[in-house]
């Protein structure tokens, strides 16, 4: 069922942010983001004959706000990374449109894996990874939607299929970055113990 993965991951993220994070402004903003994204997800607006999901505007705004806090050099690099992710997303969908035979596994998992791989290769910071993959995917979906609608195919930008894909990316990047942090802590502890033994 389309949207099931999105709802499941978004509810889990809302529960974690609301009940497990420290009480501060960031926790409040994240909780609002997850909850309002769920509420807006069934609604679409029409722009020039193209239907766009309301929830992607909120996601886009929050991610742009995160990027705007960074230094100018980092913002410029982020824009290049986002463009790369957008083109990767759009290219995958174009290949799928013209030659769907090569999709050997679940389409959402394959697209998610491609986006995750590109994001992990380009970005090292956890927050920038999330912002990059979300903005890049949104821009890629908008680009693909414009191309497809110009040739008289009906396509909804930010549909539940799209939300499922970005939810998979969000979840995997969160787990991957958490494992990286855990491994760093383990490495520091091992080095500390080794120095104590030799010292």
């Amino acid at each position: 069922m389309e949207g099931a993965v999105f709802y499941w991951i978004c509810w889990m993220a809302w529960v974690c942010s609301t009940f497990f994070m420290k009480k501060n402004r960031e926790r409040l903003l994240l909780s609002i983001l997850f909850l309002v994204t769920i509420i807006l997800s069934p609604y679409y607006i029409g722009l020039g004959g193209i239907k766009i999901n309301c929830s992607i505007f909120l996601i886009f705004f929050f991610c742009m706000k995160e990027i705007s806090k960074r230094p100018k050099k980092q913002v410029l690099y982020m824009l290049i990374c986002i463009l790369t992710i957008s083109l990767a997303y759009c290219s995958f969908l174009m290949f799928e449109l013209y030659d769907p035979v090569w999709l050997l596994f679940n389409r959402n998992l394959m697209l998610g894996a491609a986006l995750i791989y590109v994001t992990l290769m380009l970005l090292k910071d956890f927050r920038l990874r999330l912002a990059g993959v979300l903005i890049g995917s949104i821009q890629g979906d908008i680009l693909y939607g414009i191309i497809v609608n110009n040739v008289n195919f009906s396509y909804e930008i930010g549909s539940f299929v799209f939300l499922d894909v970005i939810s998979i990316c969000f979840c995997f990047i969160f787990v991957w970055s958490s494992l990286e942090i855990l491994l760093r802590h383990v490495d520091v502890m091992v080095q500390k113990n080794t120095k104590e033994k030799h010292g």
Side-chain angles (χ1 to χ4, degrees):
M1 188 179 109
E2 292 177 1
V5 175
F6 161 71
Y7 281 125
W8 186 76
I9 291 173
C10 226
W11 273 118
M12 290 293 291
W14 179 79
V15 168
C16 290
S17 64
T18 305
F19 298 108
F20 298 108
M21 285 181 69
K22 290 180 181 178
K23 289 185 179 181
N24 53 28
R25 188 170 178 272
E26 186 181 20
R27 184 189 87 155
L28 178 64
L29 289 173
L30 280 175
S31 298
I32 290 169
L33 171 63
F34 293 129
L35 199 58
V36 177
T37 302
I38 292 168
I39 293 166
L40 292 177
S41 61
Y43 302 104
Y44 291 81
I45 61 168
L47 289 173
I50 300 172
K51 287 176 74 178
I52 304 175
N53 193 307
C54 294
S55 62
I56 68 170
F57 292 106
L58 183 66
I59 296 167
F60 188 85
F61 171 77
F62 265 81
C63 292
M64 288 301 288
K65 192 178 176 186
E66 178 61 38
I67 292 171
S68 67
K69 297 174 186 174
R70 307 291 172 144
K72 287 183 180 178
K73 284 184 179 179
Q74 205 170 22
V75 171
L76 181 63
Y77 178 71
M78 271 299 295
L79 292 175
I80 295 166
C81 293
I82 288 167
L83 178 62
T84 307
I85 294 164
S86 300
L87 293 174
Y89 183 94
C90 191
S91 301
F92 185 100
L93 294 188
M94 294 298 285
F95 273 118
E96 180 194 19
L97 182 66
Y98 290 112
D99 189 15
V101 178
W102 67 276
L103 293 176
L104 303 172
F105 308 107
N106 181 285
R107 176 251 189 210
N108 289 354
L109 290 176
M110 286 185 69
L111 177 53
L115 293 173
I116 290 161
Y117 179 76
V118 173
T119 305
L120 292 178
M121 291 299 104
L122 293 173
L123 300 164
K124 303 301 176 191
D125 182 76
F126 167 63
R127 288 171 182 253
L128 292 182
R129 281 174 175 174
L130 290 180
V133 75
L134 292 173
I135 293 174
S137 300
I138 290 168
Q139 287 183 351
D141 205 45
I142 290 169
L143 178 61
Y144 179 73
I146 291 167
I147 293 167
V148 169
N149 279 289
N150 280 339
V151 292
N152 296 321
F153 283 110
S154 178
Y155 184 78
E156 295 175 350
I157 295 171
S159 64
F160 279 113
V161 175
F162 168 80
L163 292 174
D164 280 345
V165 171
I166 63 169
S167 298
I168 291 166
C169 294
F170 175 88
C171 189
F172 188 88
I173 288 171
F174 177 79
V175 171
W176 182 273
S177 297
S178 300
L179 285 173
E180 282 182 342
I181 293 165
L182 180 66
L183 287 172
R184 272 192 229 113
H185 283 300
V186 169
D187 189 46
V188 168
M189 286 175 66
V190 168
Q191 286 181 3
K192 189 178 178 183
N193 288 337
T194 306
K195 284 179 182 177
E196 286 175 359
K197 285 178 183 177
H198 289 295

